[in-house]
């Protein structure tokens, strides 16, 4: 821990409470334990200087707010806050991708969908917003983030959800690696922050593989499509290596399952022969495009193929990834712990996890003190320090 009191003489804006829904409980508990460590360190440093914060609830055993969302047999539900939230600074955490939580619906067992999780989030907000000092939402996977723009006669679900949360009284919304961060234009006068896990990817990569050579002759960053270009450019520049890009050539004369089928993945960039390549993107959904990209790179004689994605959804299961790993098309896959990961995924030898809990704890602790998060938003200096230490 630091030997200094991190925020000097800055007091929190209000007593901190983390309202973790069932979908995000495991991650929230890790975040809570880090914040407890941070603040106990602060209290010790202040005690050495014979100073005290004199702030209610600053040095607590836990900052988790006791709550629940029980359901009736019809599938309807309600949000219940089981302790006073008056005057607190609440951070409501939800993982809308967690499909592991069952509930009874007319005697049948149903599993919670993103819509169910979003509704529960609104219930907790409605239960606390009238008395809390401030309510903030931490939604790592942005609800309906893939429906961020309109094509013909379509709904704009993500923009509607953001507007709804703001109208309910939410002050700030925090997400990670939004599919298109420009969706924040739906709420231009309110807080919306989009954090990236680039530092955690690099740290996990360096910890796992000490044989990497960080130069243009041995390492390359790949964008699997046009949408991931910004992520790939940022990482490639920080690692001082080249970048390549695939683009999807589609058959626009046909529509299959609501979209134009992909004819081929075309590659733009320098040769990848013998190089370790990092494929960077925001999510693995079915994984088809990512696996096609990996196979194309191996067929172009790439050395190692490493996939880095913020969210590992694996909606079509893990069997295809097992097959590609056995065939040598992929070496390993890195995703964060910001969304639900099945026990089967955690057992796979090709899977690595980038832990985001400490980063989240720093974000919440910083925001609760109402100080600038510019250093937290941009991990460039931390990545450069990590690269320097790795090369040394």
């Amino acid at each position: 821990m630091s030997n200094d009191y991190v925020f000097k003489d800055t007091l929190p804006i209000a007593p901190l409470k983390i309202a973790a829904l069932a979908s995000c409980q495991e991650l929230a508990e890790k975040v809570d334990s880090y914040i407890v460590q941070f603040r106990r360190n602060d209290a010790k440093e202040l005690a050495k200087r014979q100073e005290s914060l004199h702030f209610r609830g600053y040095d607590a055993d836990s900052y988790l707010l006791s709550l629940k969302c029980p359901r009736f047999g019809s599938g309807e539900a309600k949000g219940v806050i089981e302790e006073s939230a008056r005057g607190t600074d609440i951070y409501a955490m939800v993982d809308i991708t967690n499909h592991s939580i069952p509930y009874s619906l007319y005697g049948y067992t149903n599993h919670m969908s993103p819509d169910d999780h979003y509704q529960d989030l609104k219930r907790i907000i409605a239960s606390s917003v009238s008395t809390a000092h401030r309510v903030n939402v931490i939604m790592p996977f942005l609800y309906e983030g893939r429906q961020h723009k309109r094509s013909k006669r379509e709904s704009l679900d993500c923009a509607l959800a953001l507007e709804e949360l703001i109208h309910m009284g939410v002050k700030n919304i925090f997400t990670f690696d939004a599919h298109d961060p420009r969706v924040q234009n739906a709420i231009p006068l309110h807080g919306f922050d989009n954090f990236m896990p680039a530092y955690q990817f690099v740290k996990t990569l360096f910890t796992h593989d000490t044989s990497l050579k960080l130069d243009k002759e041995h390492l390359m960053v790949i964008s699997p499509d046009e949408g991931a270009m910004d992520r790939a450019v940022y990482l490639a520049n920080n690692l001082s290596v080249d970048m390549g890009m695939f683009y999807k050539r589609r058959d626009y004369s046909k529509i299959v399952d609501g979209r134009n089928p992909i004819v081929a993945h075309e590659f733009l960039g320098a040769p990848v022969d013998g190089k370790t390549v990092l494929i960077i993107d925001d999510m693995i959904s079915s994984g088809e495009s990512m696996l096609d990209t990996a196979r194309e790179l191996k067929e172009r004689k790439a050395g190692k193929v490493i996939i880095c994605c913020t969210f590992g959804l694996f909606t079509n299961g893990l069997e295809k990834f097992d097959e590609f790993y056995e065939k040598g098309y992929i070496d390993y896959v890195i995703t964060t712990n910001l969304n639900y990961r099945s026990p089967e995924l955690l057992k796979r030898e090709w899977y690595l996890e980038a832990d985001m809990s400490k980063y989240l704890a720093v974000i919440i602790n910083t925001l609760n003190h109402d100080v600038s998060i510019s250093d937290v938003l941009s991990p460039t200096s931390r990545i450069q320090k990590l690269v320097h230490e790795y090369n040394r």
Side-chain angles (χ1 to χ4, degrees), residues 39-57:
R39 297 199 168 186
R40 285 183 178 169
N41 175 73
D42 292 347
K44 288 178 182 177
E45 293 304 319
L46 286 169
K48 290 177 184 176
R49 306 197 315 240
Q50 297 183 339
E51 297 178 26
S52 175
L53 277 175
H54 299 296
F55 190 86
R56 175 171 60 89

Side-chain angles (χ1 to χ4, degrees), residues 180-204:
D180 188 343
R182 290 175 296 181
V183 74
Q184 67 187 290
N185 293 336
I187 50 170
L189 302 180
H190 296 84
F192 181 97
D193 287 293
N194 181 44
F195 298 93
M196 305 297 286
Y199 170 79
Q200 285 75 16
F201 281 151
V202 174
K203 185 177 180 180
T204 304

Side-chain angles (χ1 to χ4, degrees), residues 15-19 62-65 83-85 88-92:
L16 172 64
K17 285 294 181 181
I18 301 172
S62 176
Y63 301 94
L64 293 174
L65 184 67
E83 62 180 281
S84 175
T88 57
D89 188 22
I90 294 179
Y91 292 82

Side-chain angles (χ1 to χ4, degrees), residues 312-326:
L313 306 182
F314 300 99
T315 56
N316 284 9
L318 305 173
E319 290 74 19
K320 198 72 175 177
F321 281 83
D322 292 336
E323 177 189 335
F324 271 56
Y325 176 68
E326 290 168 4

